[in-house]
Amino acid sequence: MTLTLEDCRARDAADPLRPLRDLFTLPAGLIYLDGNSLGPLPRATPARVAKAVEQEWGEGLIRSWNDAGWFELPRRVGDRIAGWIGAGAGEVVATDTTSVNLYKVLSAALSIQAQDAPARRVVLSERSNFPTDLYIAQALCEERGMVLQLLDDAGDLGAALTADVAVLLLTHVNYRTGAMHDMAAVTRQAHEAGALAIWDLAHSAGAVPVDLHGAGADFAVGCGYKYLNGGPGCPAFAWVHPRHADRFRQPLAGWWGHAAPFEFTPQYRPAPGIGRYLCGTQPVLSLVALDCGLDTLEAARPPGGMPALRAKSLALTDLFIALVEARCGDAGFTLVTPREHARRGSQVCLSRPAGSYAMVQALIARGVVGDFRGPNILRFGFTPLYIGFEDVWHAVDRLRQVLDTGEWQRPEFNRRQAVT
Amino acid sequence: MTLTLEDCRARDAADPLRPLRDLFTLPAGLIYLDGNSLGPLPRATPARVAKAVEQEWGEGLIRSWNDAGWFELPRRVGDRIAGWIGAGAGEVVATDTTSVNLYKVLSAALSIQAQDAPARRVVLSERSNFPTDLYIAQALCEERGMVLQLLDDAGDLGAALTADVAVLLLTHVNYRTGAMHDMAAVTRQAHEAGALAIWDLAHSAGAVPVDLHGAGADFAVGCGYKYLNGGPGCPAFAWVHPRHADRFRQPLAGWWGHAAPFEFTPQYRPAPGIGRYLCGTQPVLSLVALDCGLDTLEAARPPGGMPALRAKSLALTDLFIALVEARCGDAGFTLVTPREHARRGSQVCLSRPAGSYAMVQALIARGVVGDFRGPNILRFGFTPLYIGFEDVWHAVDRLRQVLDTGEWQRPEFNRRQAVT
């Protein structure tokens, strides 16, 4: 295990992914360990967005729906995402938000089960799932007369997958802990119990290997602005296994999901396949930025693609864990993220009985951007596209400084902001 | 009525709104009569979007959710829209798409009526309403066991507002015909019949006077990329009368509509008021562009605000109608848009038994951008912010040229594109 700054530098020098960091503009001196919340700006994005604004919108105007391919963007970008999640061409759309897409796919899953297995009345998830997933599930369960059952411990999944469960709704990599489910094993478990499996890939797409077809998953949604580097609030995505895609309308049956939207007929006729998971007109500028974000991932294909990204991600998180334990072992941190590689996403979370929020703020003041997740978690994301081994060394070094100086106890680091 | 080019020029010279056209970048020589589909690029937008991309995202990164006010954008931009539709501060959010917002407000309206008037099983609309409104209504009616009843003739509204009607769902200005409803009178009629009134303001906001509170309306949605000049696919908006805003969750209960989203609690607790009509993370770049679009409308306040815009819009559409009748009276056009000012939006539509599609294409080739709406409508939008009287003269002059040359009969003008 590398534990000196010199060793870290040597590992960066030997890293075939290292040149990819030049695809991003990162503020000088900043160590950005929050790409799991908002990926940084790709260097090519400003010019591409400016082209969309000035040429496509400014000069092409309405003609750009055809001439600049705006209308096809959700499917074209969706096809690009498909390659990173084990989905096929024509099976993914980039559109709307994760929450809205979750509503669509959970609606569809419930409609399927209402027909195939009407006695099943339970949607099963985890209490630690990202809240919006639970909120959307609560709303839909209320609407459909279903029950949302939340597990406190993922280990209880087997016992909880009873004959009552219609749908299992899980996030692949937990946003708070970084713990990762075995998608293939859990999906198999769900199917054996007669449930459909929906996966939220918000912290997975572009971050860890995902093979939706290999796992036999039923539905998936995910986020564009985290590891896909698509920019603040850019569209999310939805995937539906082809075996389900044509079975049901989803209730957000807007005109973009119509088989022939520009016939302007009063009767809805759903587009075949994933097309019906589109709804309204999409934010072109943000979709164009997402397209640029995907270019940065594509650039990782020659040096090894997802296996290389994953190997480096694990090396980075291993190093961070080892350095924290070696250098901050006295600070009362507990490692929240699983040590086992197969159960770890691309982030490391530490907890501490008190002071976690302030320590995150003090670290930010020292140029290490992670984030806080209540009640007591310091969260650090490690994106192998632009984070190096030396960055990890400095991040822990600055954490040591924050501890040594005690500066995290200053009042200014305890003032909560609207968005944490 | 002004009918010579010189008179048109004189009217432009005397027009206090004339300087506002310099707020836009319009391609040289182009007469853009399609701002009712996609508003043109405001001159200030490229720099503002570039700032959001390069500084706020590139340098501020995740901190910009607080520091650049990203998180507040949907409410802040919503407040700006409120001023153009007769809504109060804190009553509008700019978010998602018109279709998605319609789903939210129609859901809420149906929930209210399910409680207050459960015997009412009908959602009433017009067959000529914009299709996405009908598709969303169909989906929700199916889900809630309601019946969607479509009027062929708005004149039958009184008779159709029976004791069965729960919700009246109308678009204020018809997208195909430019015909405008009397919002106050129709809302009164709906209320007297015990129905709630939802208004789609896609072709109204920023285009015609709208007074939601004055009309006593219940819910409204609208579009940001038409007369609000917010750019391709920028977020739409939703308004709910305060008397209804706190009554129900809407089913798209995502985390942005939570009372305290960053507490990350597993139980949904709706934000008070319009806040609960937010759902997921919004596309910041497109929201920022919408904010710039609203600046162009704000610039019209000193020279008279909406009354001045409306007066000029009617003068422009009057002039267009008069010129078409004077110069193209032999061409077989029928005026589709009402002559009566009180019933006219900010567009003029002509129909013709045949050749309408090709004529629109031939006009575009001559630098007059309108659009075609099936089966036979030539549609021209007149936005007083940037369209002048001379533009109207040239538009009709070029239509005359298209007719005289017969060039619209060329095969290339009959080839249909994906987006018409």
Side-chain angles (χ1 to χ4, degrees):
Chain A
M1 174 55 64
T2 303
L3 287 176
T4 71
L5 174 57
E6 289 61 41
D7 287 340
C8 290
R9 286 178 175 156
R11 292 182 73 176
D12 281 332
D15 172 16
L17 296 173
R18 181 70 178 169
L20 299 179
R21 98 192 248 127
D22 294 333
L23 298 174
F24 296 87
T25 56
L26 288 157
L30 195 77
I31 298 173
Y32 191 61
L33 305 182
D34 215 358
N36 50 333
S37 184
L38 174 67
L41 174 63
R43 206 170 282 279
T45 301
R48 179 67 188 86
V49 172
K51 178 169 176 262
V53 172
E54 292 169 43
Q55 291 176 37
E56 294 173 14
W57 175 14
E59 294 172 26
L61 288 157
I62 199 71
R63 296 164 290 196
S64 290
W65 285 109
N66 291 302
D67 297 351
W70 287 351
F71 189 68
E72 290 304 319
L73 267 176
R75 290 163 184 266
R76 195 172 65 69
V77 173
D79 276 347
R80 298 189 74 192
I81 294 169
W84 294 95
I85 57 175
E91 293 178 5
V92 176
V93 282
T95 189
D96 294 329
T97 64
T98 308
S99 303
V100 167
N101 289 332
L102 196 64
Y103 189 85
K104 297 173 190 169
V105 302
L106 182 53
S107 295
L110 291 176
S111 296
I112 288 170
Q113 291 292 57
Q115 183 170 304
D116 295 354
R120 293 174 176 269
R121 309 303 303 161
V122 170
V123 173
L124 183 64
S125 191
E126 291 179 278
R127 196 175 307 280
S128 66
N129 200 343
F130 189 73
T132 211
D133 299 51
L134 303 183
Y135 304 160
I136 293 286
Q138 281 165 31
L140 261 169
C141 283
E142 198 173 306
E143 197 150 319
R144 305 275 178 111
M146 307 285 288
V147 176
L148 178 63
Q149 184 186 333
L150 300 183
L151 292 176
D152 287 307
D153 182 344
D156 299 336
L157 198 57
L161 277 166
T162 66
D164 289 336
V165 177
V167 176
L168 176 64
L169 166 64
L170 293 175
T171 295
H172 183 220
V173 175
N174 187 281
Y175 80 106
R176 270 179 86 249
T177 65
M180 182 164 71
H181 283 291
D182 181 336
M183 186 185 290
V186 172
T187 301
R188 199 180 319 117
Q189 227 176 336
H191 287 176
E192 282 168 7
L196 295 173
I198 299 178
W199 291 98
D200 181 341
L201 306 177
H203 289 265
S204 308
V208 297
V210 178
D211 186 358
L212 289 168
H213 273 289
D218 297 291
F219 300 88
V221 298
C223 177
Y225 54 80
K226 297 178 186 294
Y227 294 97
L228 304 183
N229 305 310
C234 79
F237 63 86
W239 171 80
V240 178
H241 193 286
R243 68 176 170 262
H244 301 308
D246 286 320
R247 283 198 65 184
F248 282 90
R249 294 185 192 182
Q250 50 86 16
L252 291 167
W255 67 312
W256 274 40
H258 193 279
F262 290 91
E263 285 179 6
F264 297 102
T265 54
Q267 187 65 37
Y268 185 71
R269 196 172 86 242
I274 194 66
R276 71 186 61 184
Y277 285 79
L278 295 171
C279 182
T281 310
Q282 288 303 297
V284 168
L285 305 184
S286 288
L287 258 177
V288 157
L290 174 55
D291 200 24
C292 289
L294 288 164
D295 289 341
T296 65
L297 269 174
E298 286 302 323
R301 289 216 189 269
M306 183 48 76
L309 289 167
R310 175 62 170 163
K312 182 174 171 189
S313 161
L314 288 170
L316 291 168
T317 50
D318 276 344
L319 176 63
F320 182 78
I321 293 168
L323 282 170
V324 168
E325 291 180 340
R327 301 196 56 201
C328 309
D330 60 331
F333 291 124
T334 302
L335 178 65
V336 175
T337 305
R339 277 179 205 278
E340 192 192 333
H341 282 180
R343 295 192 53 235
R344 188 194 305 163
S346 198
Q347 70 187 54
V348 177
C349 297
L350 308 172
S351 73
R352 203 169 178 277
S356 298
Y357 179 84
M359 280 190 191
V360 168
Q361 307 314 312
L363 263 175
I364 291 173
R366 284 190 177 265
V368 178
V369 178
D371 58 24
F372 167 81
R373 286 294 174 261
N376 60 1
I377 283 182
L378 302 91
R379 186 175 76 156
F380 303 98
F382 296 87
T383 308
L385 287 174
Y386 49 85
I387 297 297
F389 296 93
E390 182 175 345
D391 293 324
V392 176
W393 198 92
H394 288 301
V396 179
D397 194 56
R398 294 187 202 171
L399 177 59
R400 184 68 257 171
Q401 291 165 26
V402 164
L403 294 166
D404 286 344
T405 58
E407 64 198 19
W408 59 276
Q409 297 175 73
R410 288 190 208 144
E412 72 256 37
F413 293 135
N414 265 298
R415 265 177 232 123
R416 298 292 175 114
Q417 292 197 283
V419 180
T420 58
Chain B
M1 174 56 66
T2 303
L3 288 176
T4 71
L5 175 56
E6 289 62 37
D7 287 340
C8 290
R9 286 179 175 154
R11 294 182 72 174
D12 280 334
D15 172 17
L17 296 172
R18 181 71 177 168
L20 299 178
R21 95 192 251 129
D22 294 334
L23 298 174
F24 296 87
T25 56
L26 288 158
L30 196 77
I31 298 172
Y32 190 61
L33 305 182
D34 215 357
N36 50 333
S37 182
L38 173 67
L41 173 63
R43 206 170 281 278
T45 301
R48 180 65 188 88
V49 172
K51 178 170 175 262
V53 172
E54 292 169 42
Q55 291 177 38
E56 294 173 13
W57 176 15
E59 293 171 27
L61 288 158
I62 199 71
R63 297 164 291 195
S64 289
W65 284 109
N66 291 303
D67 297 351
W70 287 350
F71 189 66
E72 290 305 319
L73 267 175
R75 290 163 184 266
R76 196 172 63 69
V77 173
D79 276 346
R80 299 189 74 192
I81 294 170
W84 295 95
I85 57 175
E91 294 178 5
V92 177
V93 283
T95 188
D96 295 330
T97 65
T98 307
S99 303
V100 166
N101 289 333
L102 195 64
Y103 188 84
K104 297 173 190 168
V105 301
L106 182 53
S107 294
L110 291 176
S111 297
I112 288 171
Q113 291 291 59
Q115 184 171 302
D116 294 355
R120 294 175 176 269
R121 309 304 301 162
V122 169
V123 173
L124 183 64
S125 191
E126 291 180 279
R127 195 175 305 281
S128 66
N129 199 344
F130 189 74
T132 212
D133 299 51
L134 303 183
Y135 303 160
I136 293 287
Q138 281 166 31
L140 262 168
C141 283
E142 198 173 306
E143 198 151 317
R144 305 276 179 110
M146 305 286 288
V147 176
L148 178 62
Q149 184 186 333
L150 301 183
L151 291 177
D152 288 307
D153 183 345
D156 299 338
L157 198 57
L161 276 167
T162 65
D164 290 337
V165 177
V167 177
L168 176 64
L169 166 63
L170 293 175
T171 295
H172 183 220
V173 175
N174 187 283
Y175 80 106
R176 269 179 86 249
T177 66
M180 182 163 71
H181 283 290
D182 181 336
M183 187 185 289
V186 171
T187 301
R188 200 180 317 117
Q189 228 177 335
H191 287 176
E192 281 167 8
L196 296 173
I198 300 178
W199 291 99
D200 180 341
L201 305 178
H203 289 266
S204 308
V208 298
V210 177
D211 186 359
L212 289 168
H213 273 288
D218 298 290
F219 299 88
V221 298
C223 178
Y225 54 78
K226 298 180 185 292
Y227 294 97
L228 303 184
N229 306 310
C234 79
F237 63 87
W239 171 80
V240 178
H241 193 286
R243 68 176 170 263
H244 302 307
D246 285 320
R247 283 197 64 184
F248 282 90
R249 294 186 190 182
Q250 49 87 15
L252 291 167
W255 67 313
W256 274 40
H258 193 279
F262 290 91
E263 285 180 6
F264 297 101
T265 54
Q267 188 65 37
Y268 185 71
R269 196 173 86 242
I274 194 66
R276 70 186 62 184
Y277 286 79
L278 296 170
C279 182
T281 310
Q282 288 303 298
V284 168
L285 305 184
S286 288
L287 258 176
V288 156
L290 174 55
D291 201 23
C292 289
L294 289 163
D295 288 340
T296 65
L297 270 175
E298 287 301 324
R301 290 216 188 269
M306 183 48 77
L309 289 167
R310 175 62 171 164
K312 181 175 170 187
S313 161
L314 288 170
L316 292 168
T317 50
D318 277 343
L319 176 64
F320 183 77
I321 293 168
L323 282 169
V324 168
E325 291 180 342
R327 300 195 57 200
C328 309
D330 60 330
F333 291 124
T334 301
L335 178 65
V336 175
T337 305
R339 276 179 205 279
E340 192 191 335
H341 282 180
R343 295 191 54 235
R344 190 194 303 163
S346 199
Q347 70 187 55
V348 177
C349 298
L350 309 173
S351 74
R352 202 169 180 277
S356 299
Y357 179 83
M359 279 189 193
V360 167
Q361 307 314 312
L363 263 174
I364 291 172
R366 282 190 177 266
V368 179
V369 178
D371 59 23
F372 167 81
R373 285 295 174 262
N376 60 1
I377 283 182
L378 302 91
R379 186 175 75 156
F380 303 98
F382 295 87
T383 308
L385 287 174
Y386 49 84
I387 297 297
F389 295 94
E390 182 175 345
D391 293 326
V392 177
W393 198 92
H394 288 302
V396 178
D397 193 56
R398 294 187 202 171
L399 177 59
R400 183 70 256 172
Q401 292 165 26
V402 164
L403 294 166
D404 287 344
T405 58
E407 65 199 18
W408 60 275
Q409 297 175 73
R410 286 190 211 145
E412 72 256 36
F413 294 135
N414 264 297
R415 263 178 233 122
R416 298 294 176 111
Q417 292 197 283
V419 180
T420 59

